[in-house]
């Protein structure tokens, strides 16, 4: 129990900082919010952009056999019949008759160390499952709940106008497979990457942004020759792990969860989840699946259009197989925030050791002789703001002018922060809380010898550097 309390408190600390510093807000907060929907503020929107850019760079830009796509959110409803989502994309739901709370049945069982019993499309709760909210065992039988958001296209709201908000971005890629192949002159193996919004009417959105009803996915469909599935699946698992490390999630914080063969969908030959040790448990960030030719075959069947590939090397015609790394931007952003979130007690006056605050002590007052600092230790390429520029005094026009010159030069390259207000120590702390890796202070010496003070967020060390070296120095560090 005590363990759980400790676990909740780290997520609470992260959420509170995210609100205070403009990372994440409840959507439509002024109207009381809407469960399962979130808005990303000035810092959060830039953080998410950096995550998307890092993925796009690693997956699309740096692989000449991967191309990009930006498909529409609403597609022809037949797409979802072919993919199996219509009528098949649902979660088992149970209600507590006592407190009226609603749960995703598989999660409820898992949290209580059991497994939901499944027989084809029918579900049953194992013995002893209780309501996670009030502890009652008066629960309804699990029943399927459709996760697709429905809408209507055009002015008439009848059955012929029904459409769906996409529950995943992948199907946009499969539906455009032939057009992309014909226009990009790619040969197998090749991939199509896409980033975009997806919508699922989740039964029980929770754990902050982890399970939302509107979220963003980054998906790659990597088309391959049948028979090479295993080797490409392994390749993408390793490649994705290195990417996670590069954005600030060390391997020690990640777990690979390989799905046992008997739990795979009938068409899949492998599926491995990349999971992160969140404060609320180890949970999925990405699924990497070898899906055979299921999706393309289904679209061929439903559309009547060929999805075959002509292999010039072997003179064969076949429907390619696919390996799909499918990641969620919002979950990765939350993992990065949790990983970066640090509280420290630093000795007043600067002498002595900095103490890293343990999770159990987060939010506590610093001991005598120390002061607390909160810092987001983002890797530079993910940090929303890369450099903050501070003229030492705001009422000295010559300092402000020189600082502004430096600020505007750096702004050409990165999001930078201009801060003239308050004591310099307080200005540093504000930047620590949004994770800005570098601070540049312009003082009277700058006017004399053309040097500035550069301050490092993590060590708080400071050094003088010539203004002429500043840009190349930061270029190297931020890359
Ligand atoms: P879960 O089992 O947690 O519901 P899933 O296995 O259904 O996830 P996929 O369909 O494989 O998820 O989607 C790929 C990725 O999209 C997930 O790994 C996750 O990062 C993201 N994702 C899926 N559902 C949500 C959601 N409701 N909120 C935020 N991200 C999501």
């Amino acid at each position: 129990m005590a363990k759980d309390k400790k676990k909740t408190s780290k997520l609470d600390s992260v959420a509170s900082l995210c609100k205070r510093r403009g990372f994440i807000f409840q959507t439509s907060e002024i109207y009381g919010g809407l469960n399962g929907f979130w808005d990303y503020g000035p810092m959060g929107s830039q953080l998410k952009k950096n995550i998307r850019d890092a993925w796009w760079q690693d997956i699309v830009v740096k692989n000449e056999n991967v191309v990009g796509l930006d498909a529409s959110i609403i597609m022809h409803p037949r797409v979802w019949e072919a993919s199996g989502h219509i009528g098949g994309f649902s979660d088992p739901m149970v209600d507590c008759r006592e407190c009226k709370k609603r749960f995703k049945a598989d999660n409820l069982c898992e949290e209580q160390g059991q497994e939901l019993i499944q027989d084809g499309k029918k579900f049953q709760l194992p013995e002893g499952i209780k309501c996670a909210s009030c502890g009652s065992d008066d629960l309804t039988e699990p029943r399927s709940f459709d996760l697709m958001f429905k809408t209507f296209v055009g002015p008439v709201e009848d059955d012929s106008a029904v459409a769906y908000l996409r529950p995943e971005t992948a199907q946009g890629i499969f539906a455009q497979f032939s057009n992309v192949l014909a226009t990009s002159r790619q040969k197998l193996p090749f991939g199509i990457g896409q980033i975009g919004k997806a919508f699922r009417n989740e039964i029980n959105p929770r754990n902050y942004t982890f399970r939302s009803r509107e979220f963003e996915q980054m998906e790659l469909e990597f088309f391959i020759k049948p028979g090479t599935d295993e080797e490409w699946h392994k390749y993408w698992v390793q490649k994705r792990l290195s990417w996670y490390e590069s954005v600030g999630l060390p391997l020690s914080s990640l777990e690979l969860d390989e799905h046992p063969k008997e739990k795979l969908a009938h068409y899949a030959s492998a599926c491995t989840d990349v999971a992160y040790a969140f404060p609320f448990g180890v949970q999925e960030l990405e699924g990497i699946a070898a899906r055979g030719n299921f999706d393309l075959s289904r679209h061929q069947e439903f559309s009547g259009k060929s999805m075959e590939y002509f292999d010039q090397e072997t003179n064969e015609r076949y429907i390619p197989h696919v390996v799909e790394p499918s990641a969620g931007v919002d979950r990765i952003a939350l993992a990065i925030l949790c990983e970066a979130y640090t509280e420290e007690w630093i000795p007043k006056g600067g002498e002595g050791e900095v103490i890293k605050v343990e999770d159990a002590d987060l939010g506590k007052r610093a001991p005598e002789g120390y002061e607390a600092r909160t810092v987001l230790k983002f890797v530079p390429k993910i940090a929303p703001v890369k450099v903050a520029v501070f003229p030492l005094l705001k009422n000295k026009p010559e300092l402000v002018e020189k600082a502004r010159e430096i600020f505007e030069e750096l702004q050409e390259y990165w999001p930078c922060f201009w801060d003239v207000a308050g004591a310099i120590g307080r200005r540093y702390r504000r930047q620590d809380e949004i994770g800005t890796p570098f601070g540049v202070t312009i003082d009277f010496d700058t006017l004399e010898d053309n040097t500035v003070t550069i301050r490092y967020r993590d060590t708080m060390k400071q050094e003088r550097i010539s203004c002429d070296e500043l840009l190349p120095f930061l270029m190297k560090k931020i890359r």
Side-chain angles (χ1 to χ4, degrees):
M1 210 52 206
K3 211 167 154 206
D4 283 341
K5 194 154 185 284
K6 169 180 136 188
K7 281 179 174 176
T8 338
S9 83
K10 175 146 189 194
L11 191 64
D12 291 346
S13 305
V14 171
S16 150
L17 177 76
C18 282
K19 167 110 201 256
R20 193 166 75 243
R21 289 297 180 206
F23 281 89
I24 302 173
F25 307 125
Q26 201 182 16
T27 198
S28 342
E29 193 190 280
I30 54 169
Y31 294 102
L34 188 61
N35 195 11
F37 298 89
W38 298 92
D39 293 346
Y40 289 82
M43 290 303 131
S45 52
Q46 185 67 49
L47 173 71
K48 272 183 52 173
K49 179 178 186 303
N50 295 348
I51 293 170
R52 290 194 297 264
D53 288 351
W55 185 91
W56 193 262
Q57 180 71 18
D58 196 53
I59 300 287
V60 179
V61 178
K62 279 170 73 179
N63 293 303
E64 54 191 288
N65 62 346
V66 178
V67 292
L69 181 74
D70 185 4
S72 64
I73 286 174
I74 294 178
M75 291 185 279
H76 196 290
R78 288 281 282 170
V79 167
W80 307 112
E81 283 175 42
S83 69
H85 282 85
I86 290 181
F89 191 55
S90 57
D91 273 342
M93 165 176 86
V94 289
D95 290 294
C96 172
R97 291 197 184 91
E98 201 78 37
C99 71
K100 312 291 176 220
K101 285 261 159 61
R102 184 160 277 180
F103 304 96
K104 201 167 167 248
D106 48 347
N107 283 357
L108 189 68
C109 296
E110 232 171 74
E111 284 162 10
Q112 297 177 31
Q114 301 220 54
E115 210 171 308
L116 183 68
I117 302 163
Q118 183 170 6
D119 181 11
K121 288 199 164 182
K122 287 196 112 179
F123 296 97
Q124 199 190 327
L125 289 178
E127 281 287 306
I129 296 296
K130 293 196 163 51
C131 169
S133 178
C134 73
S136 162
D137 57 5
D138 193 5
L139 302 172
T140 62
E141 280 300 305
R143 58 197 192 284
S144 286
F145 175 78
D146 191 353
L147 299 178
M148 298 268 276
F149 273 106
K150 249 188 206 172
T151 187
F152 298 93
V153 174
V156 186
E157 295 192 1
D158 63 13
D159 284 352
S160 67
V162 167
Y164 301 88
L165 302 191
R166 66 181 175 199
E168 60 173 37
T169 57
Q171 296 305 322
I173 298 179
F174 293 123
Q176 288 295 0
F177 170 76
S178 308
N179 275 335
V180 176
L181 182 64
T183 54
S184 64
R185 309 188 65 218
Q186 290 286 348
K187 289 198 172 79
L188 289 190
F190 84 98
I192 305 176
Q194 171 165 230
I195 302 179
K197 290 269 190 178
F199 304 82
R200 296 181 189 177
N201 199 1
E202 296 280 358
I203 296 168
N204 195 6
R206 62 190 186 145
N207 289 332
Y208 197 25
T209 57
F210 179 83
R211 187 173 298 286
S212 310
R213 288 178 165 141
E214 173 175 339
F215 55 96
E216 237 177 324
Q217 289 187 316
M218 307 188 285
E219 294 196 296
L220 167 68
E221 302 302 331
F222 194 72
F223 299 100
I224 56 173
K225 191 173 176 179
T228 60
D229 309 50
E230 196 180 332
E231 90 192 57
W232 281 113
H233 182 256
K234 281 201 179 121
Y235 171 86
W236 282 108
V237 170
Q238 287 315 314
K239 190 147 165 65
R240 294 299 300 138
L241 279 181
S242 325
W243 182 83
Y244 281 104
E245 275 191 290
S246 77
V247 295
L249 298 176
L251 289 185
S252 57
S253 69
L254 299 171
E255 270 182 31
L256 286 183
D257 175 16
E258 227 174 278
H259 295 208
K261 290 270 183 247
E262 64 274 14
K263 292 238 167 125
L264 294 174
H266 65 89
Y267 47 80
S269 59
C271 184
T272 304
D273 291 342
V274 181
Y276 171 75
F278 283 100
F280 44 85
V282 178
Q283 299 277 344
E284 174 183 333
L285 294 177
E286 167 161 358
I288 303 165
R291 297 176 57 86
N293 66 7
F294 176 77
D295 304 274
L296 287 181
S297 301
R298 295 276 291 187
H299 286 299
Q300 175 165 299
E301 185 189 332
F302 278 68
S303 69
K305 304 279 182 335
S306 170
M307 296 288 161
E308 282 183 340
Y309 172 81
F310 179 66
D311 190 328
Q312 287 172 344
E313 269 173 34
T314 60
N315 266 341
E316 285 172 287
R317 216 172 260 288
Y318 51 80
I319 298 179
H321 283 199
V322 74
V323 172
E324 175 195 81
S326 167
V329 184
D330 309 76
R331 286 189 187 176
I332 294 170
L334 183 58
I336 288 176
L337 282 161
C338 290
E339 190 64 27
Y341 185 91
T342 314
E343 288 184 21
E344 290 174 347
W345 290 329
I346 49 180
K348 283 185 181 157
E351 292 296 308
E353 289 272 304
V354 171
I355 302 171
K356 182 176 183 291
V357 179
E358 295 296 326
D359 283 0
D361 294 326
L362 290 176
K364 282 194 182 155
R365 229 171 225 271
E368 192 64 31
Y370 287 82
E371 58 183 321
R373 102 166 164 140
T374 302
V375 48
L376 289 176
K377 295 190 172 178
F378 294 129
V379 294
K381 82 166 168 189
I382 288 302
V385 177
K386 312 295 185 204
V387 194
V389 178
F390 316 109
L392 188 64
L393 298 170
K394 74 168 172 194
N395 53 4
K396 296 284 174 214
E398 59 278 34
L399 283 185
V400 175
E401 196 184 319
K402 178 68 184 169
R404 198 72 208 169
E405 205 179 280
I406 292 174
F407 174 70
E408 282 170 13
E409 187 189 7
L410 299 179
Q411 253 192 327
E412 294 281 332
Y413 300 90
W414 308 286
C416 297
F417 203 102
W418 171 256
D419 193 355
V420 288
I424 194 74
R426 208 164 307 143
R427 282 187 263 171
Y428 286 155
R429 289 291 184 277
R430 278 202 286 263
Q431 295 306 312
D432 289 344
E433 289 208 340
I434 58 169
T436 307
F438 305 103
V440 173
T441 306
I442 287 82
D443 56 19
F444 290 104
D445 286 346
T446 311
L447 305 177
E448 298 289 315
D449 63 6
N450 204 37
T451 65
V452 290
T453 301
I454 183 150
R455 184 241 189 205
Y456 300 94
R457 175 198 66 202
D458 295 350
T459 58
M460 295 177 285
K461 293 234 159 65
Q462 301 186 13
E463 62 187 10
R464 296 293 296 187
I465 176 169
S466 146
C467 289
D468 302 332
E469 285 167 32
L470 184 63
L471 183 60
F473 173 85
L474 289 170
M475 283 271 178
K476 214 165 125 201
K477 292 276 183 195
I478 290 166
R479 248 190 228 149

